Amino acid sequence: MGERCCAVVRVLVLQAAWALSGGQVRYSVPEEAKAGTVVGRLAQDLGLEAGEAEARRLRLVAQGRRASVEVSGASGALLVSSRLDREELCGKSAPCALRLEVLVERPLRVFHVQLEVTDINDNAPVFPAARRNLSIAEWTTLPGSRFPLEGASDADIGANAQLSYTLSPSEHFSLDLQKSNEGNIEPELVLTKSLDRETIPVHRLVLTASDGGRPSLTGTMELVISVLDVNDNAPQFNQSVYKVQLPESAEVGTLVTRVNATDADAGINSEVTYTVTNCIPPSGRDVISVNPNTGEIHLTAALDFEEVSIFNFRIEARDKGTPPLSGHCKLVLEVLDVNDNAPEVWVTSLSVPVPEDASVGTVVALLSVSDRDSGANGRVRCWVWPASPFGLEATFAGSYSLVLREALDRERVSEYEVEVRAEDGGAPALRGRRGLRVAVSDVNDNAPAFAQAVYTVLARENNAAGAELARLWARDPDEAGNGRVSYSVWEGGVGGGWRPASSYVSVDAESGRLWALQPLDYEELQVLQFEVRAVDAGEPPLCGNATVQLFVLDENDNAPALLPPAGSAPEAGGVAGEAAAAAAGWVSVSGTLWAWAAWGAPAGQVVAKIRAVDADSGYNAWLRYELWEPRGKGPFRVGLYSGEVSTARALEEADGPRQRLLIVVRDHGEPARSATATLSVSLVEAAEAALAAAAGSSSSSSRSAAGAEMGAGAASAATNVWLVVAICAVSSLFLLAVVLYGASRWAPRAAVLSGPGPTTLVCASEVGSWSYSQRHSRSLCVADGAGKSDLMVFSPNFPPPPPGPAAKDTQPEPSALLDTVSGTALLASTLCLSLCPFSLIS
């Protein structure tokens, strides 16, 4: 053990000189060196500075078999990491050189290191068998006879495997050493003195084999020699050496050769049997078998040139005499190489993923290619498939670099399946391949892009706050953060509004959904144009824009609004407008429109014009005018779309002194909205109509004069005129009421139906409209609040109207005036109506 430690200490001097041809570093280390033994200062020999080995990740690259060495990350020294056994690594090959690849990064470089494992004497000689039995006939075996012995084998090489033999002392035997053509020493036992079986029947000798190591190791084999009688002729082979060549592809059962031995004896002593007694290497015992009777030798196992290229067999021919004699010959079987090994491709380093902006020439992987065959069968050529965008560059014998030949685009191809192919020079050629998956990493080189440059969005007004208007989507072909898009409203021009777009709409940063922040009003905003910006999360971030045109669709949310009479401008506070309306023959008092028409006026004469406007647009603002009260064939009509109130026929005295018209203004929306206007038309004589027009003109002039500080005289004159007209009207109505009362009083009772009738509640309204409740009561409102009942009249009993169309025409509508009264009810109604002019004066 001490001498082995000394052998380890005596490590061969480090051979770290660069080879001028190949640029290799060569070291040598004895086998069985302890773990941690420094083989060489690798970093220093590679020209690396102190500390640079660890920074550049100096390391070994494995090539299929364990190298048992490693690189120290701190010092950069090449150390023994595990047990080194030269016999396990290289067998009998000499020298035992391990080819290592050393890798450094930044920049990526590969160095080739050759490590020679030197032999130490750690294996003792070994005989094929611990005991050998020999039979030698007495007397007939003459002194000088030789008996070949099986030599020992030593797994070491060189001087450590040079064997010498010694034989234990004997007066009958000596040892003779012969050198074969291959340089091996073959021991032979030589008979020096005739044997006498009766004296010594069995001789026991010890054959010792010693190697040439320091210290020398030995192995022994016991020789048991039995002394036999009489059979004095041993079999003799016709050749001492048989040489045969077989290709390694030879099938099991192939005839190798046929050996032949003859015996000069006769009878049973001349019958010969054949056996294989020895094989070098020992693994060859199972390779062949010999027919004991014929001497035919057949192949019993497959041959492999790469494992063993030559076998040495010892064939023995033994006769059947007593004692049996034997002869020996040698069979040398040479194995011929065939192309039975495909090239092998190994990936020693792979740098993935590769960024898509990597420059041409970037090294992606390092590969090692080898073929176990020899000669042309072991010469290999390599290429990469597909040919683009990668290529191969030879860096050393059997070493290649996979480099980038073309620019990459991850959005076009995100991953490449690359195959490195190798082909040897045999016939037929064999191929090997190695697949690589090269992923391409993303860089932010694509800006988000919307599906369209301009989005047109339609939204109805009065939408709910938070309603989804549209969904925008921008595509970014990059991945991960580079392709993660966030959306925002970019403040641009606002069409039709004065507030920024962000006060109307908002966009979800992740989904791109466009939300309404508040209800939209078409009357305030018709078109809103803004930009939505999509920004990715790359570094630096890229963005894309899209224009959104939001059109607000009108809803019928505004009822028609009545305008003052043409020529008036109450909102401006002018008295001149009222004067113009009065001069036209009609005015507006307390929300009710008043107009005058002369009896006998022809059909088609325009009495007044209702003016209204709708804040909506389109069909929602298209207005139509309908006469709601009175229904049927009244003396007036309203233009469906013009709003002009004109006479439907010539006016007659039977039409009464006054006509109250309820006009409904509707739009065409869904649902339709409406407004009502009440027009009170007074029917007078032509002279009175002119006088009323003059009075109206004078009243207006008086108001203008009062506004201009011209005095109150004109206003007093207008009041007197109205007073005269009112007294005349009241007197006429009173007389008519008395006449009707008397007629009803003295009328036949049969004309009156018995039984109480429903009560009808009639009220004067501020706006002059009539409402018909479910209780058949009529309420006239003084203000916008609850109705105020100024007068209640109970109607008498009336017979039901006769059936037929006439009854339908005379049926009172919900908003129609009460046309038929009697008694005190008619008188009260007359008094109520007669007070209306005074309300105008007051």
Side-chain angles (χ1 to χ4, degrees):
M1 183 65 184
E3 293 188 5
R4 177 171 295 184
C5 292
C6 294
V8 173
V9 172
R10 292 194 300 270
V11 177
L12 297 176
V13 177
L14 179 66
Q15 299 178 356
W18 287 93
L20 295 177
S21 60
Q24 278 190 330
V25 177
R26 293 184 174 87
Y27 299 99
S28 64
V29 61
E31 66 174 333
E32 303 297 337
K34 291 183 179 180
T37 301
V38 177
V39 179
R41 296 182 178 87
L42 181 60
Q44 180 178 347
D45 295 334
L46 294 179
L48 301 179
E49 300 293 337
E52 193 176 1
E54 186 173 6
R56 295 184 61 183
R57 296 186 60 192
L58 179 65
R59 64 185 185 276
L60 287 178
V61 178
Q63 290 192 353
R65 59 181 181 179
R66 185 169 54 88
S68 301
V69 292
E70 63 182 6
V71 177
S72 172
S75 64
L78 187 64
L79 307 176
V80 175
S81 61
S82 60
R83 177 175 176 267
L84 281 170
D85 188 356
R86 192 205 64 79
E87 289 74 24
E88 179 183 349
L89 294 174
C90 302
K92 297 292 287 185
S93 299
C96 180
L98 300 181
R99 207 175 118 197
L100 308 175
E101 286 187 358
V102 179
L103 222 64
V104 294
E105 296 181 353
R106 297 191 296 272
L108 181 66
R109 291 189 61 188
V110 60
F111 300 92
H112 296 274
V113 177
Q114 183 172 322
L115 177 63
E116 180 181 358
V117 181
T118 59
D119 185 52
I120 64 171
N121 192 23
D122 60 339
N123 291 282
V126 177
F127 286 92
R131 180 175 178 178
R132 173 70 186 279
N133 295 319
L134 296 176
S135 297
I136 302 177
E138 63 175 348
W139 303 116
T140 56
T141 303
L142 301 176
S145 298
R146 296 176 174 270
F147 303 92
L149 301 176
E150 296 175 5
S153 61
D154 195 322
D156 296 325
I157 61 172
N160 296 329
Q162 293 179 1
L163 303 180
S164 60
Y165 299 87
T166 58
L167 187 66
S168 59
S170 173
E171 62 176 339
H172 294 92
F173 297 94
S174 64
L175 187 65
D176 187 21
L177 303 177
Q178 298 292 328
K179 193 170 186 180
S180 65
N181 296 333
E182 291 78 20
N184 298 324
I185 297 178
E186 299 177 350
E188 292 182 351
L189 186 64
V190 180
L191 183 62
T192 58
K193 182 180 179 182
S194 297
L195 301 177
D196 186 2
R197 190 189 62 81
E198 288 71 20
T199 305
I200 303 176
V202 177
H203 296 265
R204 296 183 179 275
L205 304 176
V206 176
L207 178 62
T208 302
S210 302
D211 60 23
R214 294 291 185 271
S216 177
L217 300 179
T218 61
T220 60
M221 180 176 66
E222 182 182 13
L223 301 178
V224 179
I225 304 169
S226 300
V227 181
L228 304 176
D229 276 335
V230 189
N231 189 19
D232 56 345
N233 289 293
Q236 297 291 325
F237 286 92
N238 54 1
Q239 291 180 230
S240 60
V241 177
Y242 291 84
K243 292 185 177 181
V244 180
Q245 292 181 338
L246 283 180
E248 62 177 326
S249 60
E251 297 182 355
V252 174
T254 301
L255 177 64
V256 178
T257 188
R258 180 175 181 175
V259 296
N260 185 36
T262 59
D263 194 328
D265 296 329
I268 194 172
N269 291 330
S270 63
E271 293 178 7
V272 178
T273 59
Y274 303 90
T275 57
V276 178
T277 61
N278 192 22
C279 177
I280 297 177
S283 59
R285 288 184 176 275
D286 299 329
V287 173
I288 63 171
S289 66
V290 58
N291 190 309
N293 299 319
T294 62
E296 291 182 352
I297 299 176
H298 292 83
L299 201 60
T300 57
L303 300 176
D304 190 353
F305 173 85
E306 289 71 30
E307 294 291 338
V308 180
S309 60
I310 191 169
F311 294 91
N312 289 292
F313 301 96
R314 178 78 68 171
I315 308 299
E316 180 184 79
R318 184 183 295 269
D319 61 20
K320 297 181 179 181
T322 304
L325 300 179
S326 61
H328 301 82
C329 72
K330 181 186 295 185
L331 172 61
V332 178
L333 176 59
E334 183 180 356
V335 182
L336 302 180
D337 183 45
V338 295
N339 192 26
D340 61 340
N341 290 281
E344 295 179 341
V345 181
W346 302 89
V347 179
T348 58
S349 179
L350 181 61
S351 299
V352 291
V354 180
E356 62 177 326
D357 59 348
S359 59
V360 174
T362 300
V363 177
V364 178
L366 297 177
L367 304 109
S368 177
V369 181
S370 61
D371 193 321
R372 297 179 62 194
D373 295 325
S374 60
N377 297 331
R379 286 194 293 269
V380 179
R381 67 181 186 92
C382 297
W383 70 95
V384 65
W385 185 89
S388 63
F390 302 98
L392 281 181
E393 290 182 0
T395 57
F396 198 73
S399 297
Y400 296 86
S401 296
L402 183 67
V403 298
L404 189 62
R405 291 283 175 82
E406 297 175 7
L408 301 176
D409 186 3
R410 191 205 65 82
E411 287 70 34
R412 185 174 59 88
V413 181
S414 61
E415 190 176 77
Y416 290 89
E417 294 287 343
V418 181
E419 193 173 81
V420 179
R421 299 179 176 178
E423 183 181 81
D424 60 23
L430 299 179
R431 291 184 177 182
R433 62 190 64 193
R434 176 71 63 179
L436 300 175
R437 179 172 294 176
V438 180
V440 182
S441 61
D442 183 54
V443 297
N444 193 24
D445 59 343
N446 291 279
F450 285 90
Q452 54 194 81
V454 178
Y455 289 85
T456 301
V457 180
L458 304 179
R460 294 189 177 274
E461 68 172 336
N462 301 321
N463 59 293
E468 181 177 343
L469 303 178
R471 181 175 295 185
L472 310 180
W473 181 71
R475 178 179 180 272
D476 193 330
D478 295 327
E479 68 176 0
N482 297 331
R484 188 170 58 252
V485 179
S486 60
Y487 304 85
S488 62
V489 175
W490 183 70
E491 296 294 341
V494 178
W498 53 271
R499 291 188 292 178
S502 58
S503 65
Y504 293 95
V505 295
S506 175
V507 63
D508 187 85
E510 295 182 1
S511 65
R513 293 177 177 173
L514 190 64
W515 309 94
L517 295 178
Q518 61 182 15
L520 300 176
D521 189 357
Y522 174 83
E523 287 70 33
E524 176 190 348
L525 178 70
Q526 289 81 40
V527 180
L528 178 64
Q529 179 170 314
F530 56 94
E531 287 191 358
V532 175
R533 175 166 294 178
V535 182
D536 61 26
E539 192 63 34
L542 302 177
C543 65
N545 296 332
T547 300
V548 178
Q549 293 179 344
L550 176 62
F551 291 89
V552 182
L553 302 181
D554 184 45
E555 290 283 330
N556 192 23
D557 60 340
N558 291 281
L562 296 174
L563 296 178
S568 66
E571 66 277 2
V575 182
E578 297 181 5
W586 63 294
V587 295
S588 173
V589 178
S590 300
T592 301
L593 301 177
W594 294 83
W596 296 267
W599 282 318
Q605 181 174 348
V606 177
V607 176
K609 183 175 183 179
I610 306 300
R611 299 172 64 246
V613 67
D614 196 322
D616 296 323
S617 64
Y619 267 83
N620 297 329
W622 186 20
L623 303 180
R624 67 178 183 270
Y625 301 82
E626 299 174 2
L627 182 59
W628 188 257
E629 295 179 3
R631 295 291 181 91
K633 298 180 179 180
F636 296 97
R637 62 187 176 189
V638 178
L640 182 60
Y641 298 110
S642 64
E644 293 181 350
V645 181
S646 60
T647 57
R649 54 179 171 76
L651 299 177
E652 302 172 354
E653 291 183 0
D655 293 328
R658 177 171 299 148
Q659 291 285 331
R660 185 177 296 273
L661 308 180
L662 183 61
I663 299 171
V664 178
V665 184
R666 300 179 188 274
D667 58 26
H668 286 74
E670 285 295 330
R673 294 179 179 270
S674 64
T676 59
T678 303
L679 176 63
S680 181
V681 182
S682 298
L683 304 181
V684 296
E685 295 290 340
E688 292 178 356
L691 180 60
S697 176
S698 300
S699 176
S700 301
S701 300
S702 65
R703 292 175 187 176
S704 301
E709 298 181 356
M710 294 179 63
S716 177
T719 303
N720 293 332
V721 172
W722 278 108
L723 182 58
V724 172
V725 173
I727 291 173
C728 293
V730 169
S731 299
S732 301
L733 291 175
F734 178 74
L735 292 176
L736 180 61
V738 171
V739 172
L740 293 176
Y741 176 75
S744 63
R745 185 73 174 173
W746 290 288
R749 293 284 180 174
V752 180
L753 290 176
S754 63
T759 59
T760 303
L761 181 63
V762 180
C763 301
S765 173
E766 180 185 66
V767 296
S769 63
W770 298 86
S771 60
Y772 190 67
S773 70
Q774 293 180 353
R775 297 172 53 216
H776 294 274
S777 64
R778 303 185 181 275
S779 176
L780 188 60
C781 298
V782 179
D784 294 337
K788 177 181 179 183
S789 298
D790 295 334
L791 180 63
M792 179 175 292
V793 180
F794 296 93
S795 64
N797 297 326
F798 290 95
K808 181 178 180 181
D809 294 338
T810 59
Q811 181 71 22
E813 294 294 330
S815 60
L817 293 174
L818 186 61
D819 294 331
T820 307
V821 296
S822 67
T824 59
L826 180 60
L827 177 59
S829 301
T830 305
L831 292 175
C832 180
L833 293 174
S834 66
L835 293 177
C836 293
F838 294 99
S839 65
L840 291 175
I841 297 172
S842 61

